[in-house]
Amino acid sequence: MRRTSISIAKVRAGLVLALLVCNVALAQDVTTNAMPGTNFAKYHTYKWVTVEGASYPNQIVDTQIKNSIDSQLAAKGLAKVDADKADLYVAYQVSVNQEKQWNAYGMGGGVRWGGGMASAQSSTISIGTLVLDMYDPSTKQLVWTGRVTKTLDPSANQAKKQKNLDKALQKLLKGFPPS
C-alpha cells in the first residue's frame, strides 16, 4: 500500500507540473525564417504595405503595432519611407484565437493515509498571433518572415499591453537581419 501511495503522489505531481509547463509554453512563442542566400546588407529602407484579405486590428492598435515595429527596425538601421522606391516592403497580419486552459490543483493524502484530492478547472484564454513579413520589391519574393504568439491579458492596463507588445516584437526581431 505504501508503494502505491507514493506512485500516485508522483503521478499527481507530474500531472500538475506538465499542466504548468503547458501554460508557460503557451505564454509566448517566436519563430523566424529567411530566404537562403539573401543579402540583407543591401536593405536600408522599408515601406509599409497591406496584405489583401488580411485581418487587421482597429486603427489605434494598428498604429501601436507599426510604431513598435518601426522602433525595432530603426534600431537595426532601416529607415521608413513612403515612396515606392523602398528596399523592402513590410506587412503584418494578426489573429486572436480562443483556447481552453486547464488549471489543476491537488493535495496529496500523504504516505500514511493514501488518497488525496485533485481538481481541474478550465477557462478560456485569448492567444494573439502576429506575423511579420518582409518582401523584396525588385524580385517580388518573401525574404524574411517571423511569427510571435502570446497569451493576451484583456484586463491589463494600456501601459502593460504596450510593454508586452514591445517586448514581443523586440524578441521577434532580435535575430534580424539573419547572419
Side-chain angles (χ1 to χ4, degrees):
M1 180 70 171
R2 183 176 210 197
R3 194 171 176 92
T4 305
S5 296
I6 293 172
S7 300
I8 291 171
K10 285 182 179 180
V11 169
R12 283 189 188 136
L15 177 62
V16 170
L17 181 61
L19 288 170
L20 290 173
V21 168
C22 288
N23 284 342
V24 171
L26 288 175
Q28 185 172 28
D29 184 35
V30 172
T31 59
T32 62
N33 200 3
M35 181 67 76
T38 301
N39 176 13
F40 284 90
K42 70 179 183 178
Y43 301 124
H44 304 286
T45 61
Y46 70 96
K47 175 185 176 177
W48 281 105
V49 296
T50 57
V51 176
E52 190 174 322
S55 175
Y56 292 99
N58 66 48
Q59 193 173 19
I60 295 169
V61 176
D62 176 67
T63 300
Q64 291 170 324
I65 290 170
K66 286 181 177 177
N67 285 345
S68 187
I69 294 170
D70 287 343
S71 172
Q72 293 299 316
L73 293 179
K76 304 284 183 176
L78 292 171
K80 181 175 75 167
V81 297
D82 293 325
D84 287 335
K85 291 289 185 183
D87 299 329
L88 281 172
Y89 286 170
V90 176
Y92 81 91
Q93 300 178 55
V94 294
S95 68
V96 177
N97 296 314
Q98 305 293 315
E99 294 186 12
K100 288 283 186 195
Q101 172 180 306
W102 290 93
N103 297 313
Y105 307 96
M107 188 166 60
V111 175
R112 188 173 196 185
W113 296 283
M117 296 178 58
S119 66
Q121 242 180 1
S122 73
S123 59
T124 303
I125 57 172
S126 297
I127 306 294
T129 301
L130 185 141
V131 177
L132 181 63
D133 292 328
M134 297 184 193
Y135 301 88
D136 185 320
S138 63
T139 62
K140 297 182 174 49
Q141 295 291 313
L142 178 67
V143 294
W144 188 90
T145 186
R147 169 191 302 257
V148 62
T149 302
K150 180 149 179 51
T151 303
L152 304 175
D153 180 5
S155 64
N157 65 35
Q158 186 57 42
K160 176 87 170 167
K161 288 179 185 178
Q162 186 65 50
K163 182 179 177 183
N164 286 337
L165 175 65
D166 291 341
K167 282 176 70 175
L169 291 172
Q170 181 179 21
K171 187 173 180 181
L172 177 66
L173 290 162
K174 181 179 180 181
F176 180 84
S179 47

